[in-house]
Amino acid sequence: MNLAEKVRSISGEDVLSCYQCGLCSGSCPVRFAMDLSPTQVVRLVQVGNIEKIFESNTFWICSTCFSCYARCPRKINITKIMEALRQIRLRRDQDKIALSDIPKEELKILPPIALVSNFRKTTA
Amino acid sequence: MKKKQSRIGIFVCKCGGNIGDVVDVNAVLEVIKNWEGVTVAKQHTYLCSKPAQEMIMDAIKKNKLDRVVVASCTPRMHLATFQSVLERAGLNPYMLEFVNIREQCSWSHGPHSSEEATRKAIMLIRGGYERSMELEALETISEKGSREILIVGAGIAGITAALQLGYLGFKVHVVEKKPSIGGNMAKLTKVFPTLDCAQCILTPRMAEVGRNPNVNLLTYAEVEVVSGRPGNFNVKIFMKPRGVDVDKCRSCSVCAKVCPVTVPDKFNEGLSERKAAYIEFPQAVPSAYVIDFNACTKCGKCEQICPSKAINLEDKGKTVDLNVGAILMATGYELYDARKLENYGYGTYKDVITMMDLERLTSASGPTSGYVKRADGSNVGRISIVLCAGSRDKNHIPYCSRICCMYALKQAFVLKKMLGIDVHVYYTDIRATGKGYEELYWRDQEAGVVFVRGKVAEVWKSRNGKLVVLAEDTFTGNVTEEEFDLVALATPMVPPSGLKELAEKMKLSLGEDGFVQEKHPKLDPVDSLIAGTFACGCALSPKDVRDTVSDALAAAAKASLFLKGECITTSPEKAYVIEELCDGCGICIQTCSSNAITMQDGKAKINPFMCTGCAACIPACPKEAVEFKNSTTKQMIAHLKGVLSDKEPEEVRIVAFVEKNVGYTGMDFLGLDRINYPENIVIVPVPSTAILDLKHLLYAFAFGADGILIIEGQQEIDKLTKKRMIEMAPLLAEYGIKTMRVRYSYVPLPVYKKAADLFTRFTERIEKFGPLPIEKRDAIKQKI
């Protein structure tokens, strides 16, 4: 599965229909803090350059305000794409946390929801 | 009875080796010559050749044949050839039955000769033989048509078509809703790519059409009612109250001078004002004033002062009745409402304007006499042009408006090179596809017009009063904010308001985009889906002046071709009502999408000129009173009987009902590609799969079919048949037939190859089921 297909399977969004007009970047309120623009990130997904995306901070900076989606002329939900990239990034890592590493005393007091979400986000 | 009288001639073609190498034609002749009524059975290497045609003609004359079966290639290739052979031999051309044993036999079951292929050929010819005995002589239908033509819209498209048709000698009526002809083009300054003055090239044509004695201009008028049929449309035109007698008015402008009422001038896009007594623009045709009764206070000053006594403030308008043979839609376009583009601030900031506003601002006859000014009257140093402002956008207009790139390039060049204004063009893709178009792009770049590749995100007003345009320069990835004095939005062309209502009155189909739907996007680009109704220019889709003019010339040619000669003709192969059976329930009328059915003296009547041959009315009739010429129930049953007559009890056979035009062409392509499919598939062509009723399926099963495939190629009919299939499924179950034995498939031309796969898989399925049990077959036979 190539990157565009993988992103679609996670987000349900068709990245390939983007025609790179730049409206998302122009509408993004946190663009100033990003190194690559959302348009560029979408392009990198189209061509499958995941490494370059992971070097950038764009998909972490995204504030999920959906401004890009509201204006996108092809109705692509870029916010969902950013979330998909975050998930791919997280899932790719080796387990950052292992159950055996957590002291038993801590396990007793940790809320289950915190554990579950932590495993979901930081384990492969 | 009929069988005894028939004298049938069957002619089988070898098509060189195309048929002869696979099918043993001599063996075929040995079988068919013994069939009852077959007076002549002959073969030829090339049946379409001239000597072979003469052979058939001789045989017809010598043996007094009254019907002919030709077994050769596809009827799409040579039906007309052999129909003409019959005609020349003195037989009605519809007494020909055409059997396709090339595409549907030798090419699909080759390449080596086989008994199966020979048997299949005989099977197919038997179908044609049985069907031929039910053939009826038919005549082309014709009636006297009106030689007058109605053109709706008098922009450059309507004017061009009217001139063309007028010179050809047709009486042309041109209806225009505005007071003057000229349309949108009259508002433009210069036109691309040559930068010549739009008015200078348009107004001579306007004057010419005004002078042409064959052209009747009906300005300030609207089409109210359209009835009748192609060749004889009855049209009611409402002439809106104009308050001024066009013939008497000398356009001296005194009325406007004394008029106390001022309103925004629509011709100048509301950028200036005019009086309630006004003329749209100086070169208006007809050159006459008009009273805007929405604004007029009826003070009577103009009426008193008019030196020609042309004004009548009590004008209520009038209706005009026309009888025309053809209608030409030249309804043009409107621009998308820029207010809907909220992030661009049109309507909020006065200096955010549309490109049409900019046309008026750069026009010497415009509100600023050609000096581009801001709303407050100050000078303009920097302008930005925003392309794709609403087009190519799923939130607004999904299609590309096609001409915006070019008029933006034109306008940018004029502003930069002639007026010395800095221009930034924000674009997504520059589409400059046309003669001299790319060159203009080049000239723009050389002139120093700045191109920024990025769709504008927002426009707002900064504290210093300038407009700020925010967009990403997608080539660098930087978001840019630039200040401008004016921002011009290139809004897309959309169908004019009122087109939808007019189309409903005319039963004219519009496309998804709201423009008139053409009959074929490539090969019939100016025909609408209704015979005798044509469209050109922006009535069909966004177009520039050049393409609009080409369209108008084409539509004029098509309209004149339609009305050539005294009579309008159409094929007899249409639905018709058997009067004795019709009880006037009117159900068929509801099924007809082309409004071809009317009730006359308590009986339904189908107009063959309006009938599109979809056949939806046929299964709908509870009295079985509607039939299809040359595809009657009798003919179809005979055909089925023929192709199933040799079936052995243990074998499995499948009847494939295939729609005659598109679907059948796909089957031909399978043959052309030499794609093999099982021999037990027999294709039975039908004019439309919507004609199929439970009885057809039952007859097929009764005669020996074990499975039925239905293949449709036309989208409009697909919907009808799909619905019918759902209705028929439970009825089949009542006869103990598994619904899995019947399968419907929509096979438009591009996917014809899937039919071969469908044939193979369906045959496998039916083979698994085995032949339909004899008890079931007998039970059906008894019931029918």
Side-chain angles (χ1 to χ4, degrees):
Chain A
M1 197 189 282
N2 64 32
L3 183 56
E5 283 167 5
K6 191 162 188 176
V7 166
R8 176 159 56 194
S9 74
I10 298 171
S11 66
E13 294 302 306
D14 180 15
V15 189
L16 297 179
S17 72
C18 167
Y19 65 62
Q20 291 283 302
C21 70
L23 189 53
C24 49
S25 307
S27 305
C28 180
V30 287
R31 166 70 184 96
F32 66 91
M34 295 171 169
D35 42 18
L36 291 180
S37 77
T39 320
Q40 288 171 324
V41 168
V42 173
R43 180 67 190 148
L44 290 170
V45 176
Q46 287 180 334
V47 298
N49 193 342
I50 188 86
E51 295 312 320
K52 202 151 181 189
I53 295 172
F54 287 167
E55 283 166 19
S56 83
N57 65 6
T58 304
F59 61 113
W60 297 117
I61 298 284
C62 165
S63 69
T64 67
C65 73
F66 292 96
S67 294
C68 47
Y69 173 50
R71 286 180 181 165
C72 175
R74 285 278 163 91
K75 276 270 166 228
I76 303 167
N77 195 329
I78 297 125
T79 309
K80 279 191 179 175
I81 291 172
M82 294 297 171
E83 170 62 13
L85 291 172
R86 284 192 290 274
Q87 286 193 25
I88 294 170
R89 179 72 187 99
L90 290 166
R91 286 176 193 175
R92 183 192 260 201
D93 275 354
Q94 293 296 307
D95 299 344
K96 275 202 168 174
I97 188 165
L99 195 61
S100 53
D101 295 344
I102 304 171
K104 278 187 177 164
E105 300 75 47
E106 275 185 38
L107 270 180
K108 277 181 192 159
I109 54 165
L110 272 172
I113 185 83
L115 272 176
V116 171
S117 67
N118 209 344
F119 280 121
R120 187 177 72 81
K121 277 190 170 176
T122 60
T123 56
Chain B
M1 280 295 284
K2 223 173 193 175
K3 227 173 188 173
K4 275 177 198 160
Q5 294 161 355
S6 297
R7 295 178 67 79
I8 308 168
I10 305 185
F11 300 90
V12 185
C13 182
K14 282 187 177 168
C15 195
N18 280 313
I19 295 170
D21 285 352
V22 181
V23 174
D24 183 348
V25 172
N26 288 327
V28 170
L29 284 182
E30 279 308 307
V31 175
I32 61 178
K33 71 177 187 195
N34 299 321
W35 292 344
E36 200 180 343
V38 176
T39 317
V40 185
K42 283 190 171 168
Q43 53 103 350
H44 199 282
T45 317
Y46 289 107
L47 210 53
C48 55
S49 65
K50 216 174 166 194
Q53 291 188 27
E54 273 158 15
M55 172 188 91
I56 299 173
M57 279 158 67
D58 285 344
I60 293 172
K61 287 177 197 160
K62 246 184 232 157
N63 301 290
K64 299 198 170 54
L65 300 181
D66 60 5
R67 57 207 65 216
V68 170
V69 178
V70 166
S72 60
C73 52
T74 163
R76 295 191 319 116
M77 185 87 107
H78 276 308
L79 178 68
T81 311
F82 293 107
Q83 280 189 332
S84 114
V85 170
L86 263 68
E87 226 171 352
R88 281 178 281 154
L91 263 183
N92 183 289
Y94 288 92
M95 299 310 283
L96 171 72
E97 182 56 34
F98 207 104
V99 182
N100 183 347
I101 56 165
R102 191 177 72 177
E103 278 81 350
Q104 287 174 17
C105 184
S106 65
W107 278 356
S108 301
H109 310 315
H112 307 296
S113 86
S114 67
E115 268 178 40
E116 286 82 9
T118 305
R119 183 166 175 242
K120 172 90 184 258
I122 297 170
M123 186 194 302
L124 290 170
I125 298 171
R126 180 79 194 189
Y129 157 80
E130 293 280 356
R131 206 185 105 94
S132 78
M133 289 194 274
E134 301 295 342
L135 288 178
E136 293 164 1
L138 298 174
E139 299 295 336
T140 304
I141 302 167
S142 64
E143 72 173 7
K144 215 167 154 42
S146 161
R147 297 272 294 163
E148 297 179 16
I149 294 169
L150 172 72
I151 297 177
V152 186
I156 184 61
I159 291 171
T160 306
L163 278 173
Q164 199 70 12
L165 290 164
Y167 286 134
L168 282 168
F170 292 95
K171 177 85 190 162
V172 187
H173 306 276
V174 186
V175 176
E176 169 57 51
K177 67 177 171 188
K178 299 218 180 82
S180 168
I181 64 169
N184 280 306
M185 193 182 166
K187 292 183 180 180
L188 308 180
T189 46
K190 293 188 183 335
V191 279
F192 62 80
T194 45
L195 305 181
D196 41 4
C197 152
Q199 291 229 335
C200 313
I201 57 173
L202 174 67
T203 48
R205 296 281 167 97
M206 288 167 61
E208 199 179 340
V209 83
R211 278 197 311 270
N212 194 304
N214 281 339
V215 179
N216 173 26
L217 294 180
L218 300 162
T219 51
Y220 214 45
E222 270 169 14
V223 176
E224 213 170 54
V225 184
V226 180
S227 59
R229 53 186 177 271
N232 280 297
F233 290 110
N234 298 313
V235 187
K236 209 181 264 299
I237 309 281
F238 178 61
M239 307 287 293
K240 292 184 276 190
R242 186 183 183 114
V244 177
D245 187 329
V246 171
D247 297 325
K248 283 186 191 161
C249 176
R250 299 277 165 270
S251 44
C252 66
S253 82
V254 175
C255 51
K257 280 186 191 124
V258 298
C259 180
V261 186
T262 49
V263 286
D265 185 354
K266 270 191 194 160
F267 188 77
N268 277 334
E269 300 290 304
L271 296 169
S272 63
E273 290 186 325
R274 62 155 168 79
K275 295 294 184 64
Y278 70 105
I279 189 162
E280 272 195 289
F281 53 102
Q283 305 95 322
V285 173
S287 182
Y289 275 67
V290 51
I291 309 289
D292 178 355
F293 282 109
N294 289 328
C296 174
T297 55
K298 299 210 175 172
C299 68
K301 282 184 185 160
C302 55
E303 207 169 7
Q304 285 160 15
I305 205 162
C306 177
S308 345
K309 297 277 169 262
I311 297 178
N312 169 20
L313 293 180
E314 298 310 313
D315 191 356
K316 290 278 175 282
K318 61 173 181 182
T319 54
V320 176
D321 289 304
L322 300 174
N323 171 247
V324 295
I327 301 179
L328 220 148
M329 301 290 283
T331 41
Y333 68 94
E334 268 173 21
L335 290 173
Y336 186 66
D337 183 4
R339 280 177 190 80
K340 290 180 184 165
L341 307 161
E342 284 164 356
N343 40 335
Y344 293 165
Y346 183 87
T348 308
Y349 309 128
K350 281 192 169 168
D351 290 323
V352 176
I353 59 175
T354 68
M355 284 301 277
M356 192 56 113
D357 295 340
L358 194 56
E359 286 291 336
R360 294 314 298 152
L361 288 177
T362 47
S363 169
S365 62
T368 53
S369 306
Y371 297 98
V372 181
K373 303 271 186 195
R374 302 184 70 181
D376 61 8
S378 61
N379 285 334
V380 172
R382 274 162 74 86
I383 289 187
S384 83
I385 295 177
V386 178
L387 283 169
C388 295
S391 50
R392 302 183 69 199
D393 191 333
K394 280 188 177 173
N395 300 306
H396 300 283
I397 297 294
Y399 54 80
C400 166
S401 184
R402 193 157 178 238
I403 69 158
C404 324
C405 284
M406 286 317 297
Y407 70 63
L409 289 178
K410 179 268 300 182
Q411 200 63 279
F413 188 82
V414 170
L415 293 169
K416 178 75 188 173
K417 194 85 178 179
M418 300 180 182
L419 302 172
I421 297 171
D422 275 341
V423 189
H424 283 227
V425 176
Y426 290 87
Y427 70 101
T428 15
D429 297 290
I430 292 287
R431 294 178 167 175
T433 56
K435 199 172 173 175
Y437 291 11
E438 177 67 12
E439 288 81 346
L440 180 60
Y441 185 15
W442 200 344
R443 283 167 75 190
D444 268 55
Q445 288 177 307
E446 282 174 346
V449 174
V450 180
F451 289 89
V452 184
R453 195 201 173 276
K455 195 164 167 126
V456 171
E458 279 161 31
V459 178
W460 71 84
K461 204 166 195 169
S462 74
R463 281 198 189 141
N464 61 15
K466 303 265 183 183
L467 292 166
V468 182
V469 171
L470 170 74
E472 182 189 22
D473 179 340
T474 57
F475 288 142
T476 62
N478 297 330
V479 171
T480 60
E481 291 179 19
E482 292 275 342
E483 287 188 349
F484 297 98
D485 298 311
L486 271 183
V487 173
L489 308 177
T491 45
M493 296 161 113
V494 293
S497 58
L499 179 61
K500 203 173 159 213
E501 290 73 28
L502 179 60
E504 272 168 20
K505 284 176 199 167
M506 299 173 64
K507 301 285 164 199
L508 190 66
S509 298
L510 300 182
E512 216 181 336
D513 51 13
F515 290 104
V516 176
Q517 179 68 49
E518 63 272 63
K519 194 170 165 192
H520 189 280
K522 304 221 174 290
L523 299 178
D524 288 309
V526 296
D527 291 66
S528 78
L529 291 173
I530 301 176
T533 305
F534 308 90
C536 56
C538 297
L540 290 159
S541 62
K543 281 192 186 98
D544 61 18
V545 175
R546 186 197 153 96
D547 287 354
T548 297
V549 169
S550 303
D551 259 20
L553 295 173
K558 290 301 293 258
S560 63
L561 192 67
F562 182 73
L563 296 180
K564 81 168 181 195
E566 287 288 292
C567 291
I568 319 276
T569 57
T570 188
S571 157
E573 293 181 49
K574 299 286 172 74
Y576 71 104
V577 177
I578 304 163
E579 276 197 18
E580 304 86 73
L581 296 178
C582 177
D583 66 354
C585 69
I587 291 173
C588 52
I589 297 178
Q590 292 154 23
T591 64
C592 185
S593 56
S594 56
N595 245 23
I597 314 180
T598 48
M599 202 57 81
Q600 284 174 20
D601 306 324
K603 305 272 181 192
K605 200 165 165 54
I606 301 175
N607 185 300
F609 289 93
M610 294 168 84
C611 173
T612 56
C614 77
C617 51
I618 295 173
C621 178
K623 296 279 172 196
E624 301 191 354
V626 193
E627 284 275 13
F628 202 95
K629 286 260 161 79
N630 214 20
S631 292
T632 62
T633 310
K634 262 190 184 171
Q635 287 167 346
M636 283 167 67
I637 290 170
H639 198 163
L640 289 170
K641 196 176 148 198
V643 292
L644 294 166
S645 58
D646 67 326
K647 208 201 102 163
E648 304 290 342
E650 71 281 3
E651 73 171 315
V652 156
R653 194 165 294 170
I654 293 154
V655 169
F657 290 105
V658 178
E659 172 267 322
K660 233 179 200 172
N661 299 312
V662 185
Y664 195 94
T665 308
M667 302 305 110
D668 277 355
F669 286 177
L670 284 184
L672 209 60
D673 290 348
R674 311 293 198 278
I675 297 175
N676 283 26
Y677 53 80
E679 284 94 358
N680 41 13
I681 302 267
V682 196
I683 291 172
V684 175
V686 288
S688 141
T689 52
I691 200 173
L692 294 173
D693 201 356
L694 189 64
K695 66 183 173 210
H696 299 111
L697 309 190
L698 291 178
Y699 271 108
F701 282 123
F703 288 141
D706 304 297
I708 294 177
L709 269 172
I710 299 171
I711 294 176
E712 177 61 58
Q714 301 197 42
Q715 206 174 358
E716 319 82 70
I717 296 171
D718 167 52
K719 289 177 214 149
L720 297 169
T721 309
K722 242 185 218 141
K723 210 172 130 234
R724 290 283 309 147
M725 294 309 297
I726 295 165
E727 288 165 8
M728 279 195 285
L731 302 174
L732 277 173
E734 278 177 29
Y735 286 90
I737 299 167
K738 273 192 197 134
T739 47
M740 294 285 275
R741 283 188 186 268
V742 181
R743 185 158 174 201
Y744 168 69
S745 186
Y746 168 52
V747 185
L749 212 46
V751 297
Y752 70 92
K753 279 186 183 155
K754 91 169 190 186
D757 193 33
L758 176 73
F759 286 164
T760 312
R761 276 185 294 124
F762 191 70
T763 308
E764 278 166 13
R765 182 204 283 181
I766 300 299
E767 273 169 353
K768 212 184 270 172
F769 289 165
L772 192 71
I774 294 172
E775 318 82 70
K776 281 188 185 167
R777 229 188 274 289
D778 288 340
I780 298 170
K781 269 182 194 162
Q782 275 173 8
K783 280 182 192 165
I784 55 177

